[in-house]
Amino acid sequence: MPDTMTSTADSYKYGFVTAVEADTIQKGLNEDVIRLISSKKQEPPFLLEFRLKAYRWWLEQVEPRWAHVTFPPIDYQAIRYFSAPKPAKPKLGSLSEVDPEVLATFERLGIPLGEQKRLSGVAVDAVFDSVSVGTTHKEVLAKHGIVFCSFSEAAREHPALVESYLGSVVPFNDNYFAALNSAVFTDGSFVFIPKGVKCPMDLSTYFRINAAETGQFERTLIIAEEGASVSYVEGCTAPMRDENQLHAAVVELIALDDATVKYSTVQNWYPGDQDGKGGIYNFVTKRGRCAGRNSKISWTQVEAGAAITWKYPSVILKGDNSVGEFYSVALTNHCMQADTGTKMIHLGRNTRSTIVSKGIACERSRNSYRGLVRITPGAEGARNYSQCDSMLVGDACEANTFPYIEVGNNTAVVEHEATTSKISAEQLFYLQSRGLDKEAAVSLLVNGFCKDVFKTLPLEFSVEAVRLLEMKLESSVG
Amino acid sequence: MLTIKNLHARVVEGTPILKGISLEVKAGEVHAIMGPNGSGKSTLARIIAGHPDYQVTDGTIEYEVNRRRQNLLDLEPHERACAGIFLAFQYPVDVPGVSNAVFLRASFNAVCRYQGLPELDPLDFDDLLKEKLAMLDMNPAYVDRPVNVDFSGGEKKRNEILQMAILNPRLAVLDETDSGLDVDSLKLVAEGVNRLRTPTNATLMITHYERLLKYIRPDVVHVLDAGRIVRTGDYSLAEEVERRGYDWLQGAGAA
């Protein structure tokens, strides 16, 4: 993917705002707002009920504070829960009806959507604030029986699929932010890969927050039927603003017998300025269910942006012999805070999970790995291997590891390894004295540290991820 | 090749360490710099390589190869390395996650790029690496391990010499390469250095003791004390230092 997610810490190059006429609703949250969102999206009644149930549950909950991050109270009535760019023509349907400013925005982000320019090897769903503005390569995918469209469209066109799987992995009352998302989610992507189909190209969603004081609550649902496989990638950016903005997403993955879902994220939300002013709160619930035998769900995340990241892409290993993987690189600089990791819940026999987490903390940032490995009594022969490494750059940053291991079956094998290291000025000088310039030296160090994760990304994203990290680090390393 | 004139230097914003060093190293020569702890030997080595902790307050360092004269102090550390200067570290630094082979090839190709020479692909580089390992009688298993991580003292020093063999520098600066080595390791390292000597390159050895000089014979010996060269001579000066210590030379350069 060309130059999509790069930025430097000091000049976040995706920090621009697009002037676009938007269809927005009043700030604040109540049942009427939820009904309004649902009606704007012409949703089937079951969805409105799902939303209201979630909202009523959410009202009774208290915002959780157990993560190792600090932030002032969020005023949920000061957030706008819906903002959509107005179409050039009355009905959004094809790209020609999308406001040209919006298309220009995605082009500037390196995601051309038009027929001539669009990326050839990747199908892209582009989400601008609360709505999907277009999905490429739909026709080709449809020939294979694959559905790749916005969540709203799926709710209208494939209500039975949505109804049977929505909330099946992350229930509406799973946690505070998932409940909020369930009540007010606006758009996101929907993927359905039918039995026996290997998706012929990578699928990708690009999330862009544009409007001020607006939350982004997207919902993604990916279903791989028996023997199906798919590789999905998400990217995201937002304008630079002094106020914090909330991004509370939910992603649900379902893999039936022998199915494989690979989900990769390159996250580059605006992280706030050097002193921690502004930036996105990235409070996300991502979970996959290996429902079938021999199924596999693999998460790879490169978390390089957002003021606060709070997410634990997890796998429920229900099917016998199923496999869960979590590969993560989390880079924090300036005053960023990340509390991220995974949960591997072993239910089936001979289930296997692998966790490889690499945290890089720079400047005054705080970077924590938090992970749970649970082997339930029925998970005969389960295995887990965890490797959690932290790298410190500078003296004022903080790295933590919070591993939780619960073993309820004595045939299980669980391994956990952790290391902490530091990039020092002496290390850089050593590499420079061997002919490598500073950039090459940092790149060598970071690549060495993260290579086990980068190699799991689709190639073009791996190149981008490396470049993104190098640029962020350049300003942070001595 | 290397001409240092009246070099004054200090730790950045700190106290002066070098107080007027002048010396000249010609192609084909081996110079030894001896001196007691704290005399400024290692500082000199690190300044030649461009260590950012030091600040040159006066004097010049010129470096001339193929009749091209450069002010060394204008060059970044990596440019000095690419121009043919190699510092063998007193304390080689661990580089976790990066294998020796990857590091050496990145380094070799960076130098090739700088000098306008073609880079080597992994297979060709592997041949070069095998040749140098054989020449230094080193175990090939070295190259797949992360750079210096969990290496013994002797292995680290030999790894420095391997890097030197790959980069083939014009001027090698060996900073206390003998420290922490037992006699066998010392011999191996010295043999390596000797094998790399040619009429067109030069070596500057920093050492506290004379014992390394038994194995790598210097043409010129300088004794450094309190940031000044207090005596310059031939190998016999090193022998005298070995016999009498440094006390008799201290204060000699103050006048």
Side-chain angles (χ1 to χ4, degrees):
Chain A
M1 213 168 225
D3 208 24
T4 46
M5 293 123 188
T6 50
S7 85
T8 67
D10 298 309
S11 59
Y12 178 78
K13 87 181 212 200
Y14 302 116
F16 62 91
V17 181
T18 308
V20 60
E21 211 185 325
D23 170 16
T24 57
I25 61 174
Q26 295 236 309
K27 284 186 204 169
L29 183 56
N30 53 50
E31 292 203 4
D32 289 341
V33 166
I34 291 167
R35 287 176 205 280
L36 185 59
I37 292 172
S38 189
S39 77
K40 273 182 182 294
K41 300 196 155 289
Q42 301 155 24
E43 287 176 350
F46 79 86
L47 260 181
L48 177 60
E49 267 167 53
F50 178 82
R51 289 173 181 279
L52 291 172
K53 258 193 316 199
Y55 175 66
R56 288 166 194 153
W57 186 83
W58 178 79
L59 279 178
E60 291 166 10
Q61 308 303 311
V62 188
E63 191 181 83
R65 288 282 171 168
W66 46 261
H68 191 58
V69 298
T70 51
F71 56 94
I74 297 171
D75 180 358
Y76 291 93
Q77 297 303 332
I79 296 173
R80 202 185 307 280
Y81 288 87
F82 186 84
S83 176
K86 277 196 179 149
K89 290 179 194 165
K91 188 177 167 291
L92 273 182
S94 79
L95 288 168
S96 59
E97 288 154 3
V98 176
D99 186 329
E101 280 298 313
V102 173
L103 292 180
T105 299
F106 280 102
E107 195 148 341
R108 199 169 158 190
L109 295 168
I111 318 282
L113 299 172
E115 292 283 338
Q116 283 81 35
K117 293 184 194 162
R118 69 192 187 186
L119 305 166
S120 55
V122 185
V124 179
D125 182 25
V127 176
F128 191 87
D129 288 330
S130 304
V131 293
S132 164
V133 295
T135 309
T136 63
H137 296 291
K138 271 169 103 159
E139 311 75 27
V140 183
L141 294 171
K143 276 184 205 148
H144 293 83
I146 295 167
V147 181
F148 178 42
C149 62
S150 73
F151 196 94
S152 309
E153 188 181 330
R156 290 191 301 269
E157 309 290 327
H158 309 278
L161 276 176
V162 172
E163 187 169 11
S164 58
Y165 287 106
L166 179 71
S168 69
V169 187
V170 180
F172 71 86
N173 58 356
D174 187 78
N175 69 71
Y176 189 83
F177 294 106
L180 178 62
N181 173 287
S182 301
V184 302
F185 70 87
T186 42
D187 222 334
S189 297
F190 177 83
V191 176
F192 174 77
I193 315 285
K195 199 168 174 173
V197 172
K198 313 270 177 225
C199 187
M201 59 177 82
D202 283 350
L203 304 183
S204 172
T205 303
Y206 194 90
F207 295 99
R208 173 70 176 173
I209 294 180
N210 186 61
E213 299 171 312
T214 301
Q216 193 176 56
F217 303 93
E218 89 264 5
R219 184 119 196 162
T220 293
L221 180 55
I222 298 178
I223 302 147
E225 283 198 328
E226 291 84 352
S229 73
V230 62
S231 167
Y232 178 93
V233 191
E234 67 167 12
C236 33
T237 57
M240 293 160 72
R241 294 186 198 282
D242 287 346
E243 307 83 37
N244 294 110
Q245 278 179 285
L246 180 61
H247 170 255
V250 171
V251 175
E252 296 178 277
L253 313 181
I254 293 115
L256 303 184
D257 286 355
D258 304 301
T260 298
V261 179
K262 181 172 167 55
Y263 193 105
S264 313
T265 304
V266 178
Q267 186 265 100
N268 188 20
W269 292 118
Y270 176 57
D273 71 7
Q274 300 207 359
D275 301 312
K277 193 168 187 196
I280 303 290
Y281 291 162
N282 188 36
F283 298 166
V284 171
T285 305
K286 291 184 172 180
R287 195 176 300 153
R289 177 190 291 273
C290 281
R293 294 173 58 86
N294 308 316
S295 57
K296 178 177 173 182
I297 289 179
S298 181
W299 298 100
T300 297
Q301 61 172 19
V302 176
E303 299 289 319
I308 302 177
T309 294
W310 185 349
K311 66 178 268 203
Y312 313 91
S314 303
V315 184
I316 297 167
L317 295 147
K318 180 148 192 321
D320 291 348
N321 309 320
S322 61
V323 175
E325 294 175 337
F326 174 73
Y327 297 96
S328 170
V329 168
L331 171 89
T332 52
N333 62 356
H334 298 330
C335 297
M336 287 163 62
Q337 306 176 67
D339 191 304
T340 184
T342 184
K343 289 186 273 186
M344 293 291 173
I345 311 295
H346 292 256
L347 302 173
R349 291 159 176 270
N350 302 317
T351 45
R352 281 165 291 149
S353 63
T354 302
I355 298 171
V356 177
S357 164
K358 306 282 178 174
I360 304 169
C362 314
E363 290 156 297
R364 286 169 289 161
S365 68
R366 197 187 272 184
N367 197 320
S368 305
Y369 167 82
R370 187 185 302 274
L372 168 68
V373 176
R374 176 181 291 154
I375 313 285
T376 60
E380 197 79 18
R383 278 187 297 162
N384 163 266
Y385 171 75
S386 302
Q387 169 86 45
C388 301
D389 299 323
S390 308
M391 182 182 262
L392 300 167
V393 183
D395 298 320
C397 52
E398 183 186 323
N400 306 285
T401 303
F402 304 104
Y404 305 86
I405 298 171
E406 300 170 11
V407 179
N409 184 307
N410 60 12
T411 62
V413 179
V414 177
E415 291 174 76
H416 180 91
E417 290 178 28
T419 66
T420 302
S421 57
K422 203 171 164 178
I423 287 195
S424 61
E426 203 60 30
Q427 221 168 21
L428 280 181
F429 176 63
Y430 187 63
L431 297 178
Q432 285 175 287
S433 75
R434 299 300 181 252
L436 300 164
D437 62 23
K438 200 175 208 170
E439 224 165 276
V442 169
S443 149
L444 196 66
L445 289 170
V446 171
N447 273 312
F449 184 67
C450 301
K451 66 176 178 232
D452 292 346
V453 174
F454 287 158
K455 73 183 181 201
T456 69
L457 281 171
L459 184 64
E460 56 272 39
F461 288 89
S462 154
V463 173
E464 273 314 299
V466 169
R467 204 176 302 161
L468 173 59
L469 255 60
E470 284 168 2
M471 289 175 108
K472 292 235 162 194
L473 274 167
E474 252 171 60
S475 68
S476 302
V477 177
Chain B
M1 177 182 284
L2 183 75
T3 310
I4 300 178
K5 282 186 187 151
N6 190 32
L7 186 70
H8 287 71
R10 60 182 184 187
V11 174
V12 175
E13 303 307 321
T15 50
I17 300 174
L18 302 184
K19 301 166 186 168
I21 301 248
S22 297
L23 74 93
E24 187 175 0
V25 181
K26 295 197 176 75
E29 289 182 346
V30 175
H31 285 229
I33 297 195
M34 303 184 70
N37 291 331
S39 59
K41 305 185 298 284
S42 287
T43 299
L44 178 63
R46 283 144 69 100
I47 285 173
I48 292 171
H51 198 289
D53 284 357
Y54 302 96
Q55 203 174 13
V56 172
T57 51
D58 198 6
T60 57
I61 306 180
E62 284 188 333
Y63 174 67
E64 187 184 331
V65 170
N66 297 334
R67 272 170 269 135
R68 181 165 172 235
R69 190 176 282 264
Q70 297 182 84
N71 179 356
L72 207 55
L73 300 176
D74 287 345
L75 301 182
E76 293 288 317
H78 71 274
E79 294 172 317
R80 300 183 196 198
C82 291
I85 290 177
F86 182 89
L87 172 65
F89 279 52
Q90 181 177 3
Y91 303 109
V93 182
D94 291 9
V95 190
V98 180
S99 79
N100 242 335
V102 166
F103 168 55
L104 286 168
R105 193 165 76 87
S107 171
F108 179 83
N109 282 335
V111 173
C112 288
R113 269 197 304 279
Y114 186 87
Q115 296 181 349
L117 300 168
E119 299 179 31
L120 286 189
D121 66 38
L123 290 177
D124 289 340
F125 184 76
D126 198 45
D127 292 342
L128 175 74
L129 196 52
K130 279 194 183 117
E131 177 199 319
K132 299 297 180 188
L133 283 164
M135 186 183 100
L136 297 173
D137 194 21
M138 284 173 72
N139 182 351
Y142 254 105
V143 300
D144 295 323
R145 289 168 57 186
V147 181
N148 294 328
V149 177
D150 298 325
F151 281 29
S152 71
E155 284 175 330
K156 284 186 184 179
K157 295 295 172 82
R158 291 180 73 189
N159 202 28
E160 295 291 287
I161 305 306
L162 174 65
Q163 293 172 30
M164 183 171 137
I166 293 289
L167 295 183
N168 194 21
R170 285 303 183 104
L171 175 68
V173 181
L174 310 180
D175 187 8
E176 308 238 5
T177 292
D178 51 337
S179 70
L181 292 188
D182 58 37
V183 178
D184 292 334
S185 305
L186 182 69
K187 275 188 195 159
L188 285 168
V189 166
E191 271 170 35
V193 173
N194 285 327
R195 275 184 206 151
L196 296 170
R197 280 174 72 173
T198 71
T200 55
N201 63 23
T203 307
L204 191 61
M205 281 186 290
I206 311 287
T207 182
H208 187 86
Y209 300 106
E210 182 255 351
R211 59 174 198 159
L212 176 66
L213 309 185
K214 281 197 185 106
Y215 302 103
I216 308 171
R217 252 331 149 94
D219 302 299
V220 184
V221 176
H222 310 273
V223 175
L224 204 61
D225 182 50
R228 290 183 181 88
I229 290 175
V230 291
R231 185 72 62 103
T232 294
D234 57 15
Y235 181 62
S236 64
L237 176 58
E239 290 175 319
E240 200 166 354
V241 165
E242 182 69 7
R243 215 168 44 244
R244 298 173 62 188
Y246 287 110
D247 289 352
W248 62 284
L249 287 165
Q250 282 175 336

